[in-house]
Amino acid sequence: MLIRNGTVVTSKDSRPAAIRIEGERIKEIGPNLKAAAGEQIIDATGMLVFPGGIDVHTHLDMPFGGTTSSDDFETGTKAAAFGGTTTLIDFAIQPKGTRMRDALDTWWKKAQDRASIDYGLHLIVTDLGSAGLEDMDEIVKEGVASFKLFMAYPNVLMVDDATIFQALSRTAKNGALICLHAENGGIIDVIVRRAVAEGKTAPIYHGLTRPVAAEAEAVHRAVAMSEISGAPVYIVHLSSEDALNEVREARDRGVPIFAETCPQYLLLTIDELARPGFEGAKYVFTPPLREKQHPPKLWEGLKHDHLQVVSTDHCPFCFEDQKILGKDDFTKIPNGGPGVENRLQLLFNYGVNEGKLTVNRFVELVSTTPAKLFGLYPRKGEIAPGSDADIVIWDPKAAHTISAKTHHMRVDYSMFEGFQVVGNARTVLSRGEIIVDGGKFIGRTGRGNFLKRVARGGAWQ
Ligand code: URP
Ligand code: ZN
Ligand code: ZN
């Protein structure tokens, strides 16, 4: 297969070039590649040609908040493909009192025969028990080279500092990367209980009970634990300027701290939670949306590499029959929002088109750095000979209105309903196979492979 007449865009440069694909991999790239007899030609005139998007933060088919996230591996990976994402890394949860390996088996079963793009897994550690530290080494050998630990959600997912520190001390040796949900769960829990006792039960109180300082404090603590243990830390779904300042100061001192943010924190504010009636429930996720001074600081953070990745934290719950669980009490609204399909569209439109990011930085944020940090590079996240032919042929002029009426995620609303974006995926290839073309899915359910990731990725360099 030969993709020609397009502009190949990587994290480093943009150049007119053709890409030859042989089997599942890129064979060669050059300005003057000639079509061989019988070769399939894809004309990319006027198009940008990116490495496929990598979303390192999704929750598919995840039991949470008394229900299960509404996209499974079939619908979620298909929706991702429509938006130009060809790899995702989902989270397997270790139920308290069980072995980590069992969680992996559970998530492999969820993904098997369903995923249409390649996927990796992180493991959410809820309990080290007596064998947990040895289990972590085993998990890394299985190709699950990252763990998530929660500093929030007491009695559900939260672990104490001793657990986080022990886990970090282990990854300092086995080379995995620990991801932290950084919010001070104890403080938040007290504030939440006070609010409910005062009859403050509407969705807006989800935002008002989770102060920015509770996020910044947790990031500060995470930095200290990274310094003491000598292990890198990756902060997930960073939402505020204050938390960003903690990351920036630590990085300036040479502490190996990395952080992602998500489109919702770049483009929405706490005002969404105050929508009339119960509408605000559509925007209940943690950390919550913040006041309007925060998003511009996050954009600056992306530009200057204080933030390294944009993921989605895709964790969809339908409004009609799932978010409604918290109609009379915001603490019962399942936490999470949809977005896996819209990440590239939103970041391209509001980042590249609005001049906040170069197109090369865009590729770095949505594909190359995620691959590097999570042990997939250069197989994924790059357009180079030998890399998997995960390629997005992107029409930079395609206008698109985001809507639940037309999206492919299995959820009955969009957080970005009516947003008009310019720039969209025209053709999406996964390992050399066209899986989306002109708005149609032509891939095959179940063709996605589990990706064994390597330890000591980019966070260690
Ligand atoms: O509200 C959220 N973010 N739900 C998903 C779980 C998590 O904390 O990432
Ligand atoms: Zn989280
Ligand atoms: Zn999440």
Side-chain angles (χ1 to χ4, degrees), residues 230-414:
V233 164
Y234 179 89
I235 306 292
V236 291
H237 48 44
L238 186 140
S239 69
S240 66
E241 177 188 6
D242 309 51
L244 176 61
N245 288 342
E246 296 289 342
V247 170
R248 196 191 58 240
E249 282 163 22
R251 287 175 61 82
D252 286 350
R253 284 191 287 116
V255 185
I257 299 293
F258 303 84
E260 64 176 23
T261 191
C262 314
Q264 51 271 33
Y265 301 116
L266 292 164
L267 298 169
L268 305 174
T269 70
I270 192 169
D271 291 350
E272 306 291 354
L273 282 162
R275 283 177 175 233
F278 189 57
E279 282 280 304
K282 293 177 177 174
Y283 303 88
V284 168
F285 41 79
T286 51
L289 291 171
R290 304 299 190 184
E291 299 288 344
K292 67 175 186 313
Q293 67 271 23
H294 294 274
K297 301 294 180 186
L298 299 181
W299 281 111
E300 283 291 305
L302 290 176
K303 184 171 172 184
H304 298 296
D305 202 37
H306 307 315
L307 294 168
Q308 294 74 41
V309 172
V310 176
S311 70
T312 59
D313 193 10
H314 177 76
C315 186
F317 296 104
C318 290
F319 182 67
E320 288 295 334
D321 60 348
Q322 294 185 293
K323 291 284 185 181
I324 203 77
L325 294 170
K327 183 129 187 52
D328 303 315
D329 177 353
F330 74 89
T331 66
K332 300 200 166 56
I333 301 170
N335 281 206
V340 75
E341 190 169 344
N342 305 124
R343 182 177 62 126
L344 271 62
Q345 296 161 349
L346 291 165
L347 204 69
F348 189 87
N349 187 76
Y350 294 98
V352 179
N353 291 347
E354 294 199 352
K356 296 189 192 86
L357 304 172
T358 66
V359 72
N360 309 101
R361 180 65 180 153
F362 163 85
V363 168
E364 196 165 36
L365 289 164
V366 301
S367 180
T368 310
T369 301
K372 286 182 175 168
L373 288 179
F374 288 96
L376 289 169
Y377 190 84
R379 178 173 172 195
K380 305 286 189 190
E382 189 60 281
I383 295 193
S387 293
D388 279 358
D390 289 3
I391 291 174
V392 180
I393 302 179
W394 186 264
D395 183 347
K397 298 218 159 65
H400 175 67
T401 303
I402 295 175
S403 173
K405 291 194 191 85
T406 51
H407 73 200
H408 303 86
M409 299 177 284
R410 189 161 64 188
V411 61
D412 58 359
Y413 74 96
S414 170

Side-chain angles (χ1 to χ4, degrees), residues 398-447:
H400 175 67
T401 303
I402 295 175
S403 173
K405 291 194 191 85
T406 51
H407 73 200
H408 303 86
M409 299 177 284
R410 189 161 64 188
V411 61
D412 58 359
Y413 74 96
S414 170
M415 296 199 288
F416 306 100
E417 186 68 37
F419 278 42
Q420 296 183 337
V421 291
V422 175
N424 206 355
R426 188 199 77 182
T427 308
V428 180
L429 286 86
S430 164
R431 281 181 281 106
E433 203 180 306
I434 299 174
I435 57 169
V436 170
D437 196 29
K440 289 209 168 52
F441 181 77
I442 52 172
R444 186 174 47 81
T445 298
R447 62 168 297 287

